[in-house]
Amino acid sequence: MRWRMMILVLGVCVCMSLIQVTCEAGEIARRPNIVVFVVDDLGEMDIEPNNPQTFYETPHIKQLAAEGMRFTQGYAACQVCSPTRYSLMTGRSPVRAACTDWFGANRAEKFQPADYVPHMPLNEITLAQAVKEHGYQTFFLGKWHLGESEEYWPEARGFDVNLGGYKAGHPVSYFSPYKNPRLSDGPDGEYLTDRLAEEACELIANHDEQPFFLYLCFYNVHTPLQAPAELVEKYQAKAKALGISDAQLKDDQKYLEEEQHHQTKKPRVVRQIQNHPVYAGMVEKTDTAVGRILGQLKASGVEDDTLVVFTSDNGGLSTSEGSPTSNVPFRGGKGWGYEGGIRVPWIIKWPGHTKPGDVNTTPIISADLYPTVLEIAGLPLKPEQHLDGVSLKPLLNGQTIDRQTMFWHYPHYGNQGGYPCTVVRYGDFKLLIDLENGDFELFDLKQDPQEQKNIAEAHPDVVSDLKNKAIAFYDQTQARFLQPKKNSAEEPWQPR
């Protein structure tokens, strides 16, 4: 009798274990796939959903916005690329790890820039690692730029597949041969963005029963400015037909304007009109690639089971390196703390949850990606990791989130002319602190989204409050600051 009872108990235990394993496998299979598009240097006004009058053509991104939720006050974590990429992968402000400039930067002007860490620290638990722990296949494609040596590259940071990701911040060429150690060359003349789309589609088509996390960081629309000849010709003709080609505007300087922030520095010319035919071709190639991948989700029968996120790493390039785009009505561009440098496209499609064509005005930022993905996937949050991110799941379900203050800290000199600054956004107020001399600029973004009227003198109480918030943020993150040049008597501003 005792043996029969033991056999019965053992049988029940085995059955329960099998049921648990089966349930866990079913739970993994039901978790949504995740596709994240990050476009390099794409400005807020470069896509049709945000700017119906844009010179560029983005029908597939427009369709994505029509099917999901578009955020009109979405931000990058920094005005340059590597810090934002760090934040997307970690859910943290880049200031916490001193990853505050693009990796490879070392520009000094009046003062020495702050020291920074030129890689994503190995003790960070990346978003890829967090989802991989729970059965996700993880695919990386495109630009990485989060560390020099291979120990910092995607396959060492949680990705099963890495196609293109290594130390470089921009491609050698958009046309094969690419000379990329993580992406084989294609036929001569193959366009890099087409190739990445093709690889992404194959990964989706051939994935197994596990859910997947596909993280595609386009090299577009970063320099070098290169597009297929037929697209360049298309947009040359379009600009001419609209009367906005450079040849037609050469005697009309309204399409350019000088940024006059620092009178002691050479002012930067800021493009005011979108008319660059090569850049337009690069934007179209990006849009086409997004369309191909969204089409593959549908063809593979997983469209309704896939969360799609679309964003950029910083604002559009408008003040240097050819100044190929315009962020008007927003001021400045890549490298600047003004809205043109940090406000970027954000679109999220969560089938069955986001209301098609919904528009949300809540300010959001790069660090929010990490907890959002975890919560939507039904995975445990990692609050000690994604300290600065807030899950956007309530917004996607038509609710609200609790966030009052957002911070940016850039103690560096941007290649694009941007000055070292800290930015604090609290409600509709935005304070810029000049890290050279401690000067303040205060804007009411609700009344003045173009940041044309500095109201700091009229609101000293607001300036004081936001400055104190910045000082608390400095203390919390152990922020670093500009340093004096050797043998110089001049000292940069310090927060105390």
Side-chain angles (χ1 to χ4, degrees), residues 155 198 305 368 437:
E155 58 268 46
E198 179 182 347
D305 302 318
D368 298 337
N437 55 29

Side-chain angles (χ1 to χ4, degrees), residues 203-277:
L203 288 168
I204 294 169
N206 297 321
H207 84 282
D208 58 28
E209 293 303 312
Q210 293 173 273
F212 62 82
F213 170 47
L214 188 147
Y215 192 63
L216 172 50
C217 294
F218 290 104
Y219 287 99
N220 288 44
V221 286
H222 196 288
T223 56
L225 299 174
Q226 297 175 346
E230 64 273 15
L231 287 179
V232 176
E233 292 170 2
K234 168 186 172 178
Y235 286 101
Q236 285 173 335
K238 181 175 181 177
K240 185 175 181 180
L242 293 172
I244 58 171
S245 69
D246 280 348
Q248 291 163 304
L249 292 171
K250 65 180 180 179
D251 295 323
D252 182 356
Q253 292 300 307
K254 290 197 298 295
Y255 76 105
L256 295 174
E257 181 179 279
E258 289 187 344
E259 174 55 67
Q260 297 283 357
H261 173 75
H262 272 184
Q263 298 299 327
T264 58
K265 292 186 174 70
K266 181 180 178 181
R268 288 290 177 124
V269 173
V270 187
R271 183 178 289 273
Q272 301 293 294
I273 290 177
Q274 296 177 345
N275 70 341
H276 198 295

Side-chain angles (χ1 to χ4, degrees), residues 39-43 46 174 218-225 279 281-284 286 316-317 324:
V39 188
D40 198 352
D41 290 358
L42 188 73
D46 286 349
Y174 279 98
F218 290 104
Y219 287 99
N220 288 44
V221 286
H222 196 288
T223 56
L225 299 174
Y279 187 86
M282 296 177 77
V283 172
E284 179 169 329
T286 307
L317 180 61

Side-chain angles (χ1 to χ4, degrees), residues 280-318:
M282 296 177 77
V283 172
E284 179 169 329
K285 273 296 185 184
T286 307
D287 179 78
T288 299
V290 169
R292 285 184 62 187
I293 294 164
L294 296 178
Q296 185 62 57
L297 293 175
K298 182 177 293 187
S300 296
V302 296
E303 178 185 22
D304 291 340
D305 302 318
T306 302
L307 174 75
V308 178
V309 180
F310 179 92
T311 189
S312 173
D313 62 346
N314 49 247
L317 180 61
S318 64

Side-chain angles (χ1 to χ4, degrees), residues 66-144:
E67 296 172 353
M69 178 177 287
R70 177 170 62 90
F71 293 85
T72 60
Q73 297 191 74
Y75 289 95
C78 187
Q79 52 265 58
V80 294
C81 63
S82 297
T84 296
R85 294 169 189 276
Y86 164 89
S87 189
L88 288 165
M89 273 286 99
T90 65
R92 300 160 77 91
S93 165
V95 186
R96 292 189 183 277
C99 294
T100 48
D101 207 353
W102 62 272
F103 296 167
N106 188 28
R107 187 185 187 96
E109 290 190 12
K110 184 176 182 179
F111 299 107
Q112 289 289 345
D115 290 335
Y116 71 95
V117 175
H119 56 258
M120 182 167 60
L122 295 176
N123 62 345
E124 303 278 12
I125 302 172
T126 70
L127 176 55
Q129 290 169 321
V131 298
K132 187 176 180 178
E133 288 175 2
H134 296 277
Y136 272 78
Q137 296 175 279
T138 52
F139 310 137
F140 180 84
L141 301 95
K143 174 180 172 178
W144 183 244

